[in-house]
PDB file of all heavy atoms in Angstrom:
ATOM      1  N   PRO A  92      -6.026   5.402  -9.523  1.00 97.00           N
ATOM      2  CA  PRO A  92      -4.624   5.408  -9.129  1.00 97.00           C
ATOM      3  C   PRO A  92      -4.404   4.745  -7.765  1.00 97.00           C
ATOM      4  O   PRO A  92      -5.109   5.046  -6.797  1.00 97.00           O
ATOM      5  CB  PRO A  92      -4.269   6.893  -9.083  1.00 97.00           C
ATOM      6  CG  PRO A  92      -5.210   7.538 -10.051  1.00 97.00           C
ATOM      7  CD  PRO A  92      -6.486   6.754  -9.906  1.00 97.00           C
ATOM      8  N   LEU A  94      -2.069   4.988  -5.438  1.00 98.00           N
ATOM      9  CA  LEU A  94      -1.685   5.819  -4.303  1.00 98.00           C
ATOM     10  C   LEU A  94      -2.837   6.683  -3.814  1.00 98.00           C
ATOM     11  O   LEU A  94      -2.923   7.004  -2.620  1.00 98.00           O
ATOM     12  CB  LEU A  94      -0.466   6.681  -4.669  1.00 98.00           C
ATOM     13  CG  LEU A  94       0.780   5.877  -5.072  1.00 98.00           C
ATOM     14  CD1 LEU A  94       1.913   6.810  -5.482  1.00 98.00           C
ATOM     15  CD2 LEU A  94       1.238   4.964  -3.944  1.00 98.00           C
ATOM     16  N   GLN A  95      -3.747   7.044  -4.713  1.00 97.00           N
ATOM     17  CA  GLN A  95      -4.933   7.797  -4.301  1.00 97.00           C
ATOM     18  C   GLN A  95      -5.806   6.956  -3.383  1.00 97.00           C
ATOM     19  O   GLN A  95      -6.343   7.454  -2.384  1.00 97.00           O
ATOM     20  CB  GLN A  95      -5.741   8.232  -5.523  1.00 97.00           C
ATOM     21  CG  GLN A  95      -6.995   9.022  -5.166  1.00 97.00           C
ATOM     22  CD  GLN A  95      -7.885   9.298  -6.365  1.00 97.00           C
ATOM     23  OE1 GLN A  95      -7.611   8.848  -7.478  1.00 97.00           O
ATOM     24  NE2 GLN A  95      -8.952  10.042  -6.139  1.00 97.00           N
ATOM     25  N   ALA A  98      -4.095   6.708   0.010  1.00 97.00           N
ATOM     26  CA  ALA A  98      -4.175   7.979   0.731  1.00 97.00           C
ATOM     27  C   ALA A  98      -5.566   8.177   1.324  1.00 97.00           C
ATOM     28  O   ALA A  98      -5.718   8.773   2.397  1.00 97.00           O
ATOM     29  CB  ALA A  98      -3.834   9.137  -0.201  1.00 97.00           C
ATOM     30  N   SER A  99      -6.578   7.672   0.650  1.00 97.00           N
ATOM     31  CA  SER A  99      -7.949   7.825   1.125  1.00 97.00           C
ATOM     32  C   SER A  99      -8.263   6.904   2.296  1.00 97.00           C
ATOM     33  O   SER A  99      -9.240   7.118   3.013  1.00 97.00           O
ATOM     34  CB  SER A  99      -8.928   7.546  -0.026  1.00 97.00           C
ATOM     35  OG  SER A  99      -8.734   8.462  -1.086  1.00 97.00           O
ATOM     36  N   ALA A 107      -1.256  17.218   4.768  1.00 98.00           N
ATOM     37  CA  ALA A 107      -0.717  16.514   3.608  1.00 98.00           C
ATOM     38  C   ALA A 107      -0.488  15.048   3.994  1.00 98.00           C
ATOM     39  O   ALA A 107      -0.090  14.747   5.122  1.00 98.00           O
ATOM     40  CB  ALA A 107       0.595  17.149   3.159  1.00 98.00           C
ATOM     41  N   THR A 108      -0.737  14.161   3.057  1.00 98.00           N
ATOM     42  CA  THR A 108      -0.567  12.726   3.287  1.00 98.00           C
ATOM     43  C   THR A 108       0.426  12.175   2.277  1.00 98.00           C
ATOM     44  O   THR A 108       0.216  12.287   1.064  1.00 98.00           O
ATOM     45  CB  THR A 108      -1.908  11.975   3.147  1.00 98.00           C
ATOM     46  OG1 THR A 108      -2.830  12.462   4.118  1.00 98.00           O
ATOM     47  CG2 THR A 108      -1.713  10.482   3.345  1.00 98.00           C
ATOM     48  N   VAL A 110       2.110   8.848   0.710  1.00 98.00           N
ATOM     49  CA  VAL A 110       1.895   7.412   0.549  1.00 98.00           C
ATOM     50  C   VAL A 110       3.176   6.790   0.008  1.00 98.00           C
ATOM     51  O   VAL A 110       3.764   7.316  -0.945  1.00 98.00           O
ATOM     52  CB  VAL A 110       0.741   7.115  -0.430  1.00 98.00           C
ATOM     53  CG1 VAL A 110       0.419   5.629  -0.422  1.00 98.00           C
ATOM     54  CG2 VAL A 110      -0.492   7.927  -0.080  1.00 98.00           C
ATOM     55  N   LEU A 121       5.925   7.097  -4.567  1.00 98.00           N
ATOM     56  CA  LEU A 121       5.447   8.073  -3.590  1.00 98.00           C
ATOM     57  C   LEU A 121       4.304   8.909  -4.157  1.00 98.00           C
ATOM     58  O   LEU A 121       4.344   9.346  -5.313  1.00 98.00           O
ATOM     59  CB  LEU A 121       6.594   9.014  -3.184  1.00 98.00           C
ATOM     60  CG  LEU A 121       7.829   8.340  -2.578  1.00 98.00           C
ATOM     61  CD1 LEU A 121       8.973   9.348  -2.455  1.00 98.00           C
ATOM     62  CD2 LEU A 121       7.497   7.741  -1.217  1.00 98.00           C
ATOM     63  N   GLY A 122       3.306   9.134  -3.323  1.00 98.00           N
ATOM     64  CA  GLY A 122       2.218  10.029  -3.669  1.00 98.00           C
ATOM     65  C   GLY A 122       2.060  11.064  -2.575  1.00 98.00           C
ATOM     66  O   GLY A 122       2.349  10.788  -1.403  1.00 98.00           O
ATOM     67  N   LEU A 123       1.622  12.252  -2.933  1.00 98.00           N
ATOM     68  CA  LEU A 123       1.400  13.314  -1.960  1.00 98.00           C
ATOM     69  C   LEU A 123      -0.001  13.871  -2.179  1.00 98.00           C
ATOM     70  O   LEU A 123      -0.305  14.388  -3.258  1.00 98.00           O
ATOM     71  CB  LEU A 123       2.449  14.415  -2.111  1.00 98.00           C
ATOM     72  CG  LEU A 123       2.386  15.568  -1.093  1.00 98.00           C
ATOM     73  CD1 LEU A 123       2.547  15.050   0.328  1.00 98.00           C
ATOM     74  CD2 LEU A 123       3.450  16.618  -1.394  1.00 98.00           C
ATOM     75  N   TYR A 124      -0.836  13.754  -1.156  1.00 98.00           N
ATOM     76  CA  TYR A 124      -2.246  14.139  -1.258  1.00 98.00           C
ATOM     77  C   TYR A 124      -2.657  15.017  -0.084  1.00 98.00           C
ATOM     78  O   TYR A 124      -2.042  14.988   0.978  1.00 98.00           O
ATOM     79  CB  TYR A 124      -3.138  12.887  -1.275  1.00 98.00           C
ATOM     80  CG  TYR A 124      -3.034  12.081  -2.543  1.00 98.00           C
ATOM     81  CD1 TYR A 124      -1.970  11.192  -2.743  1.00 98.00           C
ATOM     82  CD2 TYR A 124      -3.970  12.202  -3.556  1.00 98.00           C
ATOM     83  CE1 TYR A 124      -1.862  10.457  -3.912  1.00 98.00           C
ATOM     84  CE2 TYR A 124      -3.876  11.471  -4.721  1.00 98.00           C
ATOM     85  CZ  TYR A 124      -2.821  10.605  -4.893  1.00 98.00           C
ATOM     86  OH  TYR A 124      -2.714   9.880  -6.054  1.00 98.00           O
ATOM     87  N   ARG A 125      -3.702  15.791  -0.311  1.00 97.00           N
ATOM     88  CA  ARG A 125      -4.354  16.516   0.775  1.00 97.00           C
ATOM     89  C   ARG A 125      -5.854  16.458   0.539  1.00 97.00           C
ATOM     90  O   ARG A 125      -6.335  16.882  -0.518  1.00 97.00           O
ATOM     91  CB  ARG A 125      -3.889  17.976   0.855  1.00 97.00           C
ATOM     92  CG  ARG A 125      -4.336  18.653   2.182  1.00 97.00           C
ATOM     93  CD  ARG A 125      -4.153  20.169   2.168  1.00 97.00           C
ATOM     94  NE  ARG A 125      -2.899  20.615   1.646  1.00 97.00           N
ATOM     95  CZ  ARG A 125      -1.760  20.744   2.326  1.00 97.00           C
ATOM     96  NH1 ARG A 125      -1.729  20.423   3.612  1.00 97.00           N
ATOM     97  NH2 ARG A 125      -0.662  21.179   1.735  1.00 97.00           N
ATOM     98  N   ASP A 126      -6.566  15.889   1.485  1.00 95.00           N
ATOM     99  CA  ASP A 126      -8.024  15.759   1.386  1.00 95.00           C
ATOM    100  C   ASP A 126      -8.454  15.123   0.066  1.00 95.00           C
ATOM    101  O   ASP A 126      -9.399  15.559  -0.590  1.00 95.00           O
ATOM    102  CB  ASP A 126      -8.684  17.133   1.551  1.00 95.00           C
ATOM    103  CG  ASP A 126      -8.399  17.746   2.921  1.00 95.00           C
ATOM    104  OD1 ASP A 126      -8.187  16.980   3.875  1.00 95.00           O
ATOM    105  OD2 ASP A 126      -8.385  18.989   3.028  1.00 95.00           O
ATOM    106  N   GLY A 127      -7.722  14.080  -0.320  1.00 91.00           N
ATOM    107  CA  GLY A 127      -8.086  13.310  -1.506  1.00 91.00           C
ATOM    108  C   GLY A 127      -7.583  13.839  -2.822  1.00 91.00           C
ATOM    109  O   GLY A 127      -7.775  13.207  -3.862  1.00 91.00           O
ATOM    110  N   LYS A 128      -6.912  15.003  -2.819  1.00 95.00           N
ATOM    111  CA  LYS A 128      -6.434  15.600  -4.067  1.00 95.00           C
ATOM    112  C   LYS A 128      -4.912  15.539  -4.130  1.00 95.00           C
ATOM    113  O   LYS A 128      -4.224  15.842  -3.157  1.00 95.00           O
ATOM    114  CB  LYS A 128      -6.901  17.049  -4.187  1.00 95.00           C
ATOM    115  CG  LYS A 128      -8.418  17.176  -4.304  1.00 95.00           C
ATOM    116  CD  LYS A 128      -8.837  18.611  -4.531  1.00 95.00           C
ATOM    117  CE  LYS A 128     -10.361  18.719  -4.686  1.00 95.00           C
ATOM    118  NZ  LYS A 128     -10.798  20.117  -4.916  1.00 95.00           N
ATOM    119  N   ALA A 129      -4.388  15.154  -5.290  1.00 97.00           N
ATOM    120  CA  ALA A 129      -2.943  15.042  -5.470  1.00 97.00           C
ATOM    121  C   ALA A 129      -2.297  16.423  -5.457  1.00 97.00           C
ATOM    122  O   ALA A 129      -2.773  17.354  -6.108  1.00 97.00           O
ATOM    123  CB  ALA A 129      -2.633  14.340  -6.783  1.00 97.00           C
ATOM    124  N   LEU A 130      -1.207  16.546  -4.720  1.00 97.00           N
ATOM    125  CA  LEU A 130      -0.472  17.807  -4.659  1.00 97.00           C
ATOM    126  C   LEU A 130       0.664  17.849  -5.663  1.00 97.00           C
ATOM    127  O   LEU A 130       1.223  18.915  -5.923  1.00 97.00           O
ATOM    128  CB  LEU A 130       0.082  18.009  -3.238  1.00 97.00           C
ATOM    129  CG  LEU A 130      -0.957  18.060  -2.113  1.00 97.00           C
ATOM    130  CD1 LEU A 130      -0.270  18.288  -0.779  1.00 97.00           C
ATOM    131  CD2 LEU A 130      -1.989  19.153  -2.380  1.00 97.00           C
ATOM    132  N   CYS A 131       1.042  16.678  -6.199  1.00 95.00           N
ATOM    133  CA  CYS A 131       2.081  16.610  -7.222  1.00 95.00           C
ATOM    134  C   CYS A 131       1.936  15.270  -7.930  1.00 95.00           C
ATOM    135  O   CYS A 131       1.259  14.370  -7.422  1.00 95.00           O
ATOM    136  CB  CYS A 131       3.477  16.761  -6.616  1.00 95.00           C
ATOM    137  SG  CYS A 131       3.966  15.418  -5.508  1.00 95.00           S
ATOM    138  N   PRO A 132       2.555  15.102  -9.096  1.00 95.00           N
ATOM    139  CA  PRO A 132       2.504  13.801  -9.768  1.00 95.00           C
ATOM    140  C   PRO A 132       3.182  12.729  -8.921  1.00 95.00           C
ATOM    141  O   PRO A 132       4.055  13.024  -8.106  1.00 95.00           O
ATOM    142  CB  PRO A 132       3.286  14.059 -11.069  1.00 95.00           C
ATOM    143  CG  PRO A 132       3.252  15.541 -11.267  1.00 95.00           C
ATOM    144  CD  PRO A 132       3.253  16.138  -9.898  1.00 95.00           C
ATOM    145  N   ASP A 133       2.765  11.480  -9.100  1.00 96.00           N
ATOM    146  CA  ASP A 133       3.404  10.373  -8.393  1.00 96.00           C
ATOM    147  C   ASP A 133       4.893  10.340  -8.713  1.00 96.00           C
ATOM    148  O   ASP A 133       5.319  10.694  -9.826  1.00 96.00           O
ATOM    149  CB  ASP A 133       2.761   9.042  -8.799  1.00 96.00           C
ATOM    150  CG  ASP A 133       1.323   8.922  -8.311  1.00 96.00           C
ATOM    151  OD1 ASP A 133       0.936   9.678  -7.404  1.00 96.00           O
ATOM    152  OD2 ASP A 133       0.597   8.056  -8.843  1.00 96.00           O
TER     153      ASP A 133
END
Side-chain angles (χ1 to χ4, degrees):
L94 300 177
Q95 180 187 4
S99 299
T108 299
V110 188
L121 302 170
L123 183 59
Y124 290 80
R125 193 192 315 274
D126 298 332
K128 295 185 178 180
L130 300 181
C131 65
D133 292 342

